[in-house]
Amino acid sequence: MKKKVLFCASTLSHLRNFHLPYLKAFGEMGYEVWAAASDVGKVPYAHTVVTLPMKKKLTSPQNLTAILAARRLICREGFSLLSTHTALASGVARAALMGMKRRPLVVHTVHGYLFGEEDGMGRWPYLLPEMLLAPLTDVAMVMNREDERLCRKYRLARREPVFIPGMGVDLERFHRNRTPEARPRLRERWGLSPEDFVFVCAAEFSPRKNQEALLRAFAKAAPEMPGAKLILAGQGDLFQRCRALAGELSLGKRVLFPGFVEDMPGLYAACDCAVSASRREGLPFHLMEAMASSLPAAASDVKGHQELISSGKNGLLFPLDNRKGCALALRWLYTHRQEAVQMGRRGREMARQYSLDQAFPKIMEVYEEAVRRWEGMGP
């Protein structure tokens, strides 16, 4: 009987953005590839796409419906491998396996635990579910050293966690547009002048990504940065709220909200610096893409960012939720442009360790070893 693998994430865009090489690889290995998420659509290399009625609020009763739907799906289709991604979807998919006599192998990719020791008692609503689901987590792949430490300390998987360099970035795709000839054309496309100094943040509009704090810091620094602009690319629940805040802060045309951007390499090539004020990250893809595009970065001093940015070498780290610290970092990059260019070049070299060429064979080796062990030993 043909083997089946189910990739499960909160959104199909997550699978399309980060996991297509792996879906393709499983198809080439003879697997029937399925994808599951909360929305409706198509995913390249997936033979079948199903919808699970998940809601982002972890305590939503609808997530119980999603768990039951996932359980029915897994029982009916007899998957041999379950690949889980994003906190909500991985929780739903693994909870669906509770009490099953015959369940699939579970390889869980940690895209950033939503808790840390600094959260005190506030960590338990996120930590406790991971502890309860640990017996159903056969392999955990982690992307930063803090998550690796947390996984070991709280035994959040049946075996020791495996460290991976993210899911892999196509470096050449993000580097080829970064030429003196292409830059004026790309800037014109975005309505930017040659004199503009452009910061960019590409992320979902959410409390965790913290665009509101970034807007307030930019507003604080803006009077001393004539010609500076900020592009906030992406969509999300807080999109309109952030647009309204930009108006309240009198930023006017200095902040651009383009929504979803398909040509991210072209956007990065038109910009000067990447910026992020996120509260928590796993290994942020948008910063790796920016590094691949030779952009220096200013980012909050949190896990994930700490993995990518060596402050003073390829960017600057500022204290989390510190408006003054963020504004100072933005102003420094604005005023020290030659140093910023050098930081971007060093970042490009540092990004090589996160390339698809580096990540893909490592991750496929983890999958293949897990399957061999599972088939040889059983659950």
Side-chain angles (χ1 to χ4, degrees):
M1 187 172 66
K2 194 171 187 178
K3 294 181 180 180
K4 296 182 180 180
V5 58
L6 174 62
F7 279 75
C8 189
S10 296
T11 64
L12 294 178
S13 63
H14 179 91
L15 296 176
R16 287 191 289 260
N17 289 335
F18 307 126
H19 302 286
L20 293 188
Y22 305 97
L23 272 69
K24 181 182 179 183
F26 273 101
E28 292 173 346
M29 291 163 58
Y31 280 78
E32 184 176 318
V33 181
W34 288 56
S38 62
D39 48 343
V40 179
K42 296 181 179 181
V43 177
Y45 310 116
H47 300 97
T48 306
V49 179
V50 296
T51 302
L52 297 177
M54 296 177 284
K55 289 292 183 182
K56 279 194 174 181
K57 187 177 180 182
L58 292 178
T59 57
S60 171
Q62 192 163 328
N63 287 328
L64 178 58
T65 303
I67 291 171
L68 295 175
R71 187 179 182 88
R72 289 193 295 270
L73 172 68
I74 293 168
C75 288
R76 183 181 74 241
E77 297 299 332
F79 297 103
S80 56
L81 172 60
L82 177 60
S83 178
T84 65
H85 307 273
T86 68
L88 173 60
S90 66
V92 165
R94 287 177 293 164
L97 305 178
M98 285 186 164
M100 276 191 187
K101 290 184 179 179
R102 293 179 61 84
R103 66 171 179 83
L105 163 70
V106 176
V107 177
H108 172 45
T109 303
V110 181
H111 293 271
Y113 288 126
L114 299 181
F115 61 88
E117 302 290 14
E118 70 278 5
D119 296 321
M121 293 301 293
R123 71 186 184 277
W124 287 104
Y126 302 100
L127 173 56
L128 185 58
E130 289 292 340
M131 295 176 71
L132 293 173
L133 295 171
L136 299 166
T137 307
D138 300 299
V139 177
M141 294 191 287
V142 298
M143 303 182 188
N144 64 63
R145 297 303 177 186
E146 176 61 12
D147 282 344
E148 182 180 32
R149 188 188 69 78
L150 290 170
C151 189
R152 291 181 190 278
K153 177 178 179 179
Y154 293 105
R155 299 183 179 180
L156 300 181
R158 295 180 66 193
R159 300 185 179 92
E160 290 292 290
V162 180
F163 188 88
I164 59 172
M167 301 310 301
V169 178
D170 183 350
L171 297 184
E172 181 55 32
R173 176 171 172 256
F174 285 88
H175 189 64
R176 66 172 67 105
N177 283 331
R178 193 97 181 154
T179 64
E181 297 77 21
R183 187 172 168 86
R185 172 178 52 82
L186 293 168
R187 286 210 152 201
E188 184 177 357
R189 180 195 302 175
W190 291 99
L192 303 170
S193 73
E195 296 77 25
D196 289 336
F197 188 90
V198 187
F199 298 93
V200 60
C201 175
E204 177 190 19
F205 282 80
S206 68
R208 183 164 69 93
K209 297 299 184 179
N210 209 16
Q211 283 94 341
E212 290 187 41
L214 179 54
L215 281 166
R216 295 185 186 280
F218 183 74
K220 183 177 180 64
E224 298 178 49
M225 299 191 303
K229 291 186 177 179
L230 172 64
I231 298 179
L232 296 179
Q235 298 172 322
D237 294 340
L238 298 185
F239 181 82
Q240 293 299 338
R241 182 168 163 178
C242 286
R243 288 193 68 171
L245 178 60
E248 294 169 14
L249 295 171
S250 301
L251 292 173
K253 295 182 179 180
R254 299 190 68 174
V255 181
L256 284 68
F257 293 88
F260 172 76
V261 176
E262 185 170 352
D263 181 21
M264 285 306 302
L267 176 57
Y268 284 127
C271 296
D272 298 286
C273 178
V275 60
S276 173
S278 288
R279 293 192 168 98
R280 183 166 284 117
E281 290 287 356
L283 196 69
F285 214 68
H286 67 100
L287 280 191
M288 287 188 283
E289 292 175 342
M291 290 168 62
S293 303
S294 300
L295 295 186
S300 48
D301 191 6
V302 298
K303 69 178 184 180
H305 289 166
Q306 296 164 348
E307 206 78 24
L308 294 174
I309 299 173
S310 177
S311 199
K313 186 174 182 180
N314 66 320
L316 299 172
L317 294 172
F318 54 84
L320 175 62
D321 284 329
N322 187 309
R323 192 185 314 174
K324 180 179 178 181
C326 180
L328 286 172
L330 298 181
R331 283 200 297 264
W332 192 95
L333 291 165
Y334 174 87
T335 55
H336 296 78
R337 301 193 185 188
Q338 288 303 315
E339 291 93 331
V341 168
Q342 293 301 319
M343 284 182 171
R345 289 173 179 164
R346 287 192 289 268
R348 162 74 180 172
E349 292 302 313
M350 294 168 69
R352 294 186 186 279
Q353 62 188 301
Y354 306 108
S355 71
L356 188 60
D357 290 343
Q358 292 290 324
F360 179 81
K362 170 69 173 178
I363 291 171
M364 291 308 302
E365 181 182 346
V366 174
Y367 278 122
E368 291 166 6
E369 172 60 26
V371 169
R372 284 194 296 269
R373 183 188 294 268
W374 183 261
E375 292 177 342
M377 300 174 58

mmCIF file with all atom_site columns, all heavy atoms in Angstrom, residues 8-26:
data_model
loop_
_atom_site.group_PDB
_atom_site.id
_atom_site.type_symbol
_atom_site.label_atom_id
_atom_site.label_alt_id
_atom_site.label_comp_id
_atom_site.label_asym_id
_atom_site.label_entity_id
_atom_site.label_seq_id
_atom_site.pdbx_PDB_ins_code
_atom_site.Cartn_x
_atom_site.Cartn_y
_atom_site.Cartn_z
_atom_site.occupancy
_atom_site.B_iso_or_equiv
_atom_site.pdbx_formal_charge
_atom_site.auth_seq_id
_atom_site.auth_comp_id
_atom_site.auth_asym_id
_atom_site.auth_atom_id
_atom_site.pdbx_PDB_model_num
ATOM 1   N N   . CYS A 1 8  ? 0.801  19.457 8.144  1.00 0.00 ? 8  CYS A N   1
ATOM 2   C CA  . CYS A 1 8  ? -0.252 20.229 8.791  1.00 0.00 ? 8  CYS A CA  1
ATOM 3   C C   . CYS A 1 8  ? 0.314  21.556 9.307  1.00 0.00 ? 8  CYS A C   1
ATOM 4   O O   . CYS A 1 8  ? 1.317  21.573 10.027 1.00 0.00 ? 8  CYS A O   1
ATOM 5   C CB  . CYS A 1 8  ? -0.849 19.437 9.945  1.00 0.00 ? 8  CYS A CB  1
ATOM 6   S SG  . CYS A 1 8  ? -2.338 20.173 10.664 1.00 0.00 ? 8  CYS A SG  1
ATOM 7   N N   . ALA A 1 9  ? -0.329 22.673 8.934  1.00 0.00 ? 9  ALA A N   1
ATOM 8   C CA  . ALA A 1 9  ? 0.076  24.008 9.387  1.00 0.00 ? 9  ALA A CA  1
ATOM 9   C C   . ALA A 1 9  ? -1.170 24.856 9.554  1.00 0.00 ? 9  ALA A C   1
ATOM 10  O O   . ALA A 1 9  ? -2.265 24.484 9.105  1.00 0.00 ? 9  ALA A O   1
ATOM 11  C CB  . ALA A 1 9  ? 1.028  24.652 8.382  1.00 0.00 ? 9  ALA A CB  1
ATOM 12  N N   . SER A 1 10 ? -1.022 25.992 10.202 1.00 0.00 ? 10 SER A N   1
ATOM 13  C CA  . SER A 1 10 ? -2.176 26.855 10.443 1.00 0.00 ? 10 SER A CA  1
ATOM 14  C C   . SER A 1 10 ? -2.747 27.411 9.144  1.00 0.00 ? 10 SER A C   1
ATOM 15  O O   . SER A 1 10 ? -3.958 27.553 9.000  1.00 0.00 ? 10 SER A O   1
ATOM 16  C CB  . SER A 1 10 ? -1.806 28.010 11.382 1.00 0.00 ? 10 SER A CB  1
ATOM 17  O OG  . SER A 1 10 ? -1.450 27.507 12.656 1.00 0.00 ? 10 SER A OG  1
ATOM 18  N N   . THR A 1 11 ? -1.867 27.748 8.189  1.00 0.00 ? 11 THR A N   1
ATOM 19  C CA  . THR A 1 11 ? -2.311 28.301 6.908  1.00 0.00 ? 11 THR A CA  1
ATOM 20  C C   . THR A 1 11 ? -1.601 27.607 5.761  1.00 0.00 ? 11 THR A C   1
ATOM 21  O O   . THR A 1 11 ? -0.467 27.135 5.901  1.00 0.00 ? 11 THR A O   1
ATOM 22  C CB  . THR A 1 11 ? -2.028 29.813 6.827  1.00 0.00 ? 11 THR A CB  1
ATOM 23  O OG1 . THR A 1 11 ? -0.612 30.027 6.877  1.00 0.00 ? 11 THR A OG1 1
ATOM 24  C CG2 . THR A 1 11 ? -2.701 30.570 7.969  1.00 0.00 ? 11 THR A CG2 1
ATOM 25  N N   . LEU A 1 12 ? -2.268 27.577 4.624  1.00 0.00 ? 12 LEU A N   1
ATOM 26  C CA  . LEU A 1 12 ? -1.641 27.006 3.436  1.00 0.00 ? 12 LEU A CA  1
ATOM 27  C C   . LEU A 1 12 ? -0.462 27.849 2.968  1.00 0.00 ? 12 LEU A C   1
ATOM 28  O O   . LEU A 1 12 ? 0.497  27.321 2.399  1.00 0.00 ? 12 LEU A O   1
ATOM 29  C CB  . LEU A 1 12 ? -2.671 26.881 2.312  1.00 0.00 ? 12 LEU A CB  1
ATOM 30  C CG  . LEU A 1 12 ? -3.821 25.889 2.558  1.00 0.00 ? 12 LEU A CG  1
ATOM 31  C CD1 . LEU A 1 12 ? -4.779 25.899 1.380  1.00 0.00 ? 12 LEU A CD1 1
ATOM 32  C CD2 . LEU A 1 12 ? -3.300 24.479 2.815  1.00 0.00 ? 12 LEU A CD2 1
ATOM 33  N N   . SER A 1 13 ? -0.531 29.168 3.208  1.00 0.00 ? 13 SER A N   1
ATOM 34  C CA  . SER A 1 13 ? 0.577  30.029 2.792  1.00 0.00 ? 13 SER A CA  1
ATOM 35  C C   . SER A 1 13 ? 1.868  29.643 3.513  1.00 0.00 ? 13 SER A C   1
ATOM 36  O O   . SER A 1 13 ? 2.965  29.759 2.955  1.00 0.00 ? 13 SER A O   1
ATOM 37  C CB  . SER A 1 13 ? 0.248  31.501 3.049  1.00 0.00 ? 13 SER A CB  1
ATOM 38  O OG  . SER A 1 13 ? 0.080  31.752 4.429  1.00 0.00 ? 13 SER A OG  1
ATOM 39  N N   . HIS A 1 14 ? 1.751  29.170 4.753  1.00 0.00 ? 14 HIS A N   1
ATOM 40  C CA  . HIS A 1 14 ? 2.944  28.716 5.474  1.00 0.00 ? 14 HIS A CA  1
ATOM 41  C C   . HIS A 1 14 ? 3.596  27.550 4.730  1.00 0.00 ? 14 HIS A C   1
ATOM 42  O O   . HIS A 1 14 ? 4.821  27.522 4.543  1.00 0.00 ? 14 HIS A O   1
ATOM 43  C CB  . HIS A 1 14 ? 2.573  28.297 6.896  1.00 0.00 ? 14 HIS A CB  1
ATOM 44  C CG  . HIS A 1 14 ? 3.739  27.792 7.687  1.00 0.00 ? 14 HIS A CG  1
ATOM 45  N ND1 . HIS A 1 14 ? 4.526  28.603 8.466  1.00 0.00 ? 14 HIS A ND1 1
ATOM 46  C CD2 . HIS A 1 14 ? 4.271  26.550 7.806  1.00 0.00 ? 14 HIS A CD2 1
ATOM 47  C CE1 . HIS A 1 14 ? 5.492  27.891 9.031  1.00 0.00 ? 14 HIS A CE1 1
ATOM 48  N NE2 . HIS A 1 14 ? 5.352  26.641 8.640  1.00 0.00 ? 14 HIS A NE2 1
ATOM 49  N N   . LEU A 1 15 ? 2.782  26.611 4.291  1.00 0.00 ? 15 LEU A N   1
ATOM 50  C CA  . LEU A 1 15 ? 3.323  25.469 3.559  1.00 0.00 ? 15 LEU A CA  1
ATOM 51  C C   . LEU A 1 15 ? 3.897  25.902 2.214  1.00 0.00 ? 15 LEU A C   1
ATOM 52  O O   . LEU A 1 15 ? 4.971  25.438 1.806  1.00 0.00 ? 15 LEU A O   1
ATOM 53  C CB  . LEU A 1 15 ? 2.237  24.416 3.356  1.00 0.00 ? 15 LEU A CB  1
ATOM 54  C CG  . LEU A 1 15 ? 1.683  23.766 4.631  1.00 0.00 ? 15 LEU A CG  1
ATOM 55  C CD1 . LEU A 1 15 ? 0.553  22.806 4.298  1.00 0.00 ? 15 LEU A CD1 1
ATOM 56  C CD2 . LEU A 1 15 ? 2.782  23.055 5.405  1.00 0.00 ? 15 LEU A CD2 1
ATOM 57  N N   . ARG A 1 16 ? 3.186  26.804 1.533  1.00 0.00 ? 16 ARG A N   1
ATOM 58  C CA  . ARG A 1 16 ? 3.672  27.268 0.229  1.00 0.00 ? 16 ARG A CA  1
ATOM 59  C C   . ARG A 1 16 ? 4.972  28.050 0.352  1.00 0.00 ? 16 ARG A C   1
ATOM 60  O O   . ARG A 1 16 ? 5.846  27.972 -0.507 1.00 0.00 ? 16 ARG A O   1
ATOM 61  C CB  . ARG A 1 16 ? 2.598  28.119 -0.457 1.00 0.00 ? 16 ARG A CB  1
ATOM 62  C CG  . ARG A 1 16 ? 1.411  27.315 -0.986 1.00 0.00 ? 16 ARG A CG  1
ATOM 63  C CD  . ARG A 1 16 ? 0.532  28.161 -1.876 1.00 0.00 ? 16 ARG A CD  1
ATOM 64  N NE  . ARG A 1 16 ? -0.201 29.166 -1.128 1.00 0.00 ? 16 ARG A NE  1
ATOM 65  C CZ  . ARG A 1 16 ? -1.470 29.065 -0.758 1.00 0.00 ? 16 ARG A CZ  1
ATOM 66  N NH1 . ARG A 1 16 ? -2.171 27.976 -1.071 1.00 0.00 ? 16 ARG A NH1 1
ATOM 67  N NH2 . ARG A 1 16 ? -2.058 30.029 -0.086 1.00 0.00 ? 16 ARG A NH2 1
ATOM 68  N N   . ASN A 1 17 ? 5.109  28.817 1.429  1.00 0.00 ? 17 ASN A N   1
ATOM 69  C CA  . ASN A 1 17 ? 6.287  29.678 1.583  1.00 0.00 ? 17 ASN A CA  1
ATOM 70  C C   . ASN A 1 17 ? 7.528  28.930 2.051  1.00 0.00 ? 17 ASN A C   1
ATOM 71  O O   . ASN A 1 17 ? 8.647  29.291 1.695  1.00 0.00 ? 17 ASN A O   1
ATOM 72  C CB  . ASN A 1 17 ? 5.987  30.810 2.569  1.00 0.00 ? 17 ASN A CB  1
ATOM 73  C CG  . ASN A 1 17 ? 5.025  31.830 2.003  1.00 0.00 ? 17 ASN A CG  1
ATOM 74  O OD1 . ASN A 1 17 ? 4.914  31.990 0.793  1.00 0.00 ? 17 ASN A OD1 1
ATOM 75  N ND2 . ASN A 1 17 ? 4.309  32.524 2.873  1.00 0.00 ? 17 ASN A ND2 1
ATOM 76  N N   . PHE A 1 18 ? 7.351  27.895 2.883  1.00 0.00 ? 18 PHE A N   1
ATOM 77  C CA  . PHE A 1 18 ? 8.503  27.305 3.558  1.00 0.00 ? 18 PHE A CA  1
ATOM 78  C C   . PHE A 1 18 ? 8.747  25.826 3.287  1.00 0.00 ? 18 PHE A C   1
ATOM 79  O O   . PHE A 1 18 ? 9.836  25.329 3.577  1.00 0.00 ? 18 PHE A O   1
ATOM 80  C CB  . PHE A 1 18 ? 8.365  27.492 5.079  1.00 0.00 ? 18 PHE A CB  1
ATOM 81  C CG  . PHE A 1 18 ? 8.111  28.912 5.499  1.00 0.00 ? 18 PHE A CG  1
ATOM 82  C CD1 . PHE A 1 18 ? 7.036  29.241 6.306  1.00 0.00 ? 18 PHE A CD1 1
ATOM 83  C CD2 . PHE A 1 18 ? 8.940  29.931 5.066  1.00 0.00 ? 18 PHE A CD2 1
ATOM 84  C CE1 . PHE A 1 18 ? 6.794  30.548 6.687  1.00 0.00 ? 18 PHE A CE1 1
ATOM 85  C CE2 . PHE A 1 18 ? 8.707  31.249 5.440  1.00 0.00 ? 18 PHE A CE2 1
ATOM 86  C CZ  . PHE A 1 18 ? 7.631  31.554 6.249  1.00 0.00 ? 18 PHE A CZ  1
ATOM 87  N N   . HIS A 1 19 ? 7.772  25.097 2.772  1.00 0.00 ? 19 HIS A N   1
ATOM 88  C CA  . HIS A 1 19 ? 7.904  23.639 2.778  1.00 0.00 ? 19 HIS A CA  1
ATOM 89  C C   . HIS A 1 19 ? 7.765  22.958 1.425  1.00 0.00 ? 19 HIS A C   1
ATOM 90  O O   . HIS A 1 19 ? 7.773  21.729 1.352  1.00 0.00 ? 19 HIS A O   1
ATOM 91  C CB  . HIS A 1 19 ? 6.884  23.042 3.760  1.00 0.00 ? 19 HIS A CB  1
ATOM 92  C CG  . HIS A 1 19 ? 7.037  23.556 5.150  1.00 0.00 ? 19 HIS A CG  1
ATOM 93  N ND1 . HIS A 1 19 ? 8.060  23.156 5.982  1.00 0.00 ? 19 HIS A ND1 1
ATOM 94  C CD2 . HIS A 1 19 ? 6.318  24.473 5.851  1.00 0.00 ? 19 HIS A CD2 1
ATOM 95  C CE1 . HIS A 1 19 ? 7.958  23.796 7.140  1.00 0.00 ? 19 HIS A CE1 1
ATOM 96  N NE2 . HIS A 1 19 ? 6.915  24.601 7.082  1.00 0.00 ? 19 HIS A NE2 1
ATOM 97  N N   . LEU A 1 20 ? 7.645  23.702 0.342  1.00 0.00 ? 20 LEU A N   1
ATOM 98  C CA  . LEU A 1 20 ? 7.449  23.072 -0.970 1.00 0.00 ? 20 LEU A CA  1
ATOM 99  C C   . LEU A 1 20 ? 8.571  22.104 -1.347 1.00 0.00 ? 20 LEU A C   1
ATOM 100 O O   . LEU A 1 20 ? 8.288  21.031 -1.910 1.00 0.00 ? 20 LEU A O   1
ATOM 101 C CB  . LEU A 1 20 ? 7.274  24.136 -2.058 1.00 0.00 ? 20 LEU A CB  1
ATOM 102 C CG  . LEU A 1 20 ? 5.991  24.976 -1.972 1.00 0.00 ? 20 LEU A CG  1
ATOM 103 C CD1 . LEU A 1 20 ? 5.862  25.849 -3.218 1.00 0.00 ? 20 LEU A CD1 1
ATOM 104 C CD2 . LEU A 1 20 ? 4.756  24.101 -1.797 1.00 0.00 ? 20 LEU A CD2 1
ATOM 105 N N   . PRO A 1 21 ? 9.851  22.432 -1.088 1.00 0.00 ? 21 PRO A N   1
ATOM 106 C CA  . PRO A 1 21 ? 10.894 21.455 -1.450 1.00 0.00 ? 21 PRO A CA  1
ATOM 107 C C   . PRO A 1 21 ? 10.699 20.108 -0.754 1.00 0.00 ? 21 PRO A C   1
ATOM 108 O O   . PRO A 1 21 ? 11.050 19.057 -1.315 1.00 0.00 ? 21 PRO A O   1
ATOM 109 C CB  . PRO A 1 21 ? 12.192 22.135 -1.001 1.00 0.00 ? 21 PRO A CB  1
ATOM 110 C CG  . PRO A 1 21 ? 11.869 23.593 -0.979 1.00 0.00 ? 21 PRO A CG  1
ATOM 111 C CD  . PRO A 1 21 ? 10.440 23.672 -0.539 1.00 0.00 ? 21 PRO A CD  1
ATOM 112 N N   . TYR A 1 22 ? 10.134 20.134 0.449  1.00 0.00 ? 22 TYR A N   1
ATOM 113 C CA  . TYR A 1 22 ? 9.964  18.909 1.222  1.00 0.00 ? 22 TYR A CA  1
ATOM 114 C C   . TYR A 1 22 ? 8.729  18.133 0.752  1.00 0.00 ? 22 TYR A C   1
ATOM 115 O O   . TYR A 1 22 ? 8.773  16.894 0.680  1.00 0.00 ? 22 TYR A O   1
ATOM 116 C CB  . TYR A 1 22 ? 9.895  19.260 2.708  1.00 0.00 ? 22 TYR A CB  1
ATOM 117 C CG  . TYR A 1 22 ? 11.108 20.063 3.108  1.00 0.00 ? 22 TYR A CG  1
ATOM 118 C CD1 . TYR A 1 22 ? 11.074 21.458 3.173  1.00 0.00 ? 22 TYR A CD1 1
ATOM 119 C CD2 . TYR A 1 22 ? 12.320 19.416 3.357  1.00 0.00 ? 22 TYR A CD2 1
ATOM 120 C CE1 . TYR A 1 22 ? 12.214 22.182 3.485  1.00 0.00 ? 22 TYR A CE1 1
ATOM 121 C CE2 . TYR A 1 22 ? 13.467 20.133 3.678  1.00 0.00 ? 22 TYR A CE2 1
ATOM 122 C CZ  . TYR A 1 22 ? 13.404 21.520 3.731  1.00 0.00 ? 22 TYR A CZ  1
ATOM 123 O OH  . TYR A 1 22 ? 14.529 22.236 4.018  1.00 0.00 ? 22 TYR A OH  1
ATOM 124 N N   . LEU A 1 23 ? 7.666  18.835 0.406  1.00 0.00 ? 23 LEU A N   1
ATOM 125 C CA  . LEU A 1 23 ? 6.511  18.163 -0.188 1.00 0.00 ? 23 LEU A CA  1
ATOM 126 C C   . LEU A 1 23 ? 6.907  17.486 -1.500 1.00 0.00 ? 23 LEU A C   1
ATOM 127 O O   . LEU A 1 23 ? 6.529  16.349 -1.772 1.00 0.00 ? 23 LEU A O   1
ATOM 128 C CB  . LEU A 1 23 ? 5.372  19.160 -0.432 1.00 0.00 ? 23 LEU A CB  1
ATOM 129 C CG  . LEU A 1 23 ? 4.384  19.398 0.721  1.00 0.00 ? 23 LEU A CG  1
ATOM 130 C CD1 . LEU A 1 23 ? 5.055  20.129 1.875  1.00 0.00 ? 23 LEU A CD1 1
ATOM 131 C CD2 . LEU A 1 23 ? 3.166  20.187 0.244  1.00 0.00 ? 23 LEU A CD2 1
ATOM 132 N N   . LYS A 1 24 ? 7.661  18.215 -2.300 1.00 0.00 ? 24 LYS A N   1
ATOM 133 C CA  . LYS A 1 24 ? 8.131  17.666 -3.581 1.00 0.00 ? 24 LYS A CA  1
ATOM 134 C C   . LYS A 1 24 ? 8.992  16.426 -3.349 1.00 0.00 ? 24 LYS A C   1
ATOM 135 O O   . LYS A 1 24 ? 8.842  15.403 -4.049 1.00 0.00 ? 24 LYS A O   1
ATOM 136 C CB  . LYS A 1 24 ? 8.924  18.723 -4.341 1.00 0.00 ? 24 LYS A CB  1
ATOM 137 C CG  . LYS A 1 24 ? 9.434  18.245 -5.693 1.00 0.00 ? 24 LYS A CG  1
ATOM 138 C CD  . LYS A 1 24 ? 10.253 19.337 -6.381 1.00 0.00 ? 24 LYS A CD  1
ATOM 139 C CE  . LYS A 1 24 ? 10.779 18.852 -7.728 1.00 0.00 ? 24 LYS A CE  1
ATOM 140 N NZ  . LYS A 1 24 ? 11.642 19.875 -8.380 1.00 0.00 ? 24 LYS A NZ  1
ATOM 141 N N   . ALA A 1 25 ? 9.878  16.490 -2.383 1.00 0.00 ? 25 ALA A N   1
ATOM 142 C CA  . ALA A 1 25 ? 10.782 15.370 -2.114 1.00 0.00 ? 25 ALA A CA  1
ATOM 143 C C   . ALA A 1 25 ? 10.009 14.125 -1.695 1.00 0.00 ? 25 ALA A C   1
ATOM 144 O O   . ALA A 1 25 ? 10.319 13.005 -2.139 1.00 0.00 ? 25 ALA A O   1
ATOM 145 C CB  . ALA A 1 25 ? 11.788 15.750 -1.036 1.00 0.00 ? 25 ALA A CB  1
ATOM 146 N N   . PHE A 1 26 ? 9.002  14.294 -0.844 1.00 0.00 ? 26 PHE A N   1
ATOM 147 C CA  . PHE A 1 26 ? 8.222  13.133 -0.419 1.00 0.00 ? 26 PHE A CA  1
ATOM 148 C C   . PHE A 1 26 ? 7.451  12.534 -1.589 1.00 0.00 ? 26 PHE A C   1
ATOM 149 O O   . PHE A 1 26 ? 7.316  11.311 -1.691 1.00 0.00 ? 26 PHE A O   1
ATOM 150 C CB  . PHE A 1 26 ? 7.282  13.505 0.724  1.00 0.00 ? 26 PHE A CB  1
ATOM 151 C CG  . PHE A 1 26 ? 7.921  13.406 2.076  1.00 0.00 ? 26 PHE A CG  1
ATOM 152 C CD1 . PHE A 1 26 ? 8.362  14.533 2.739  1.00 0.00 ? 26 PHE A CD1 1
ATOM 153 C CD2 . PHE A 1 26 ? 8.098  12.172 2.681  1.00 0.00 ? 26 PHE A CD2 1
ATOM 154 C CE1 . PHE A 1 26 ? 8.966  14.442 3.980  1.00 0.00 ? 26 PHE A CE1 1
ATOM 155 C CE2 . PHE A 1 26 ? 8.707  12.061 3.923  1.00 0.00 ? 26 PHE A CE2 1
ATOM 156 C CZ  . PHE A 1 26 ? 9.139  13.200 4.577  1.00 0.00 ? 26 PHE A CZ  1
#
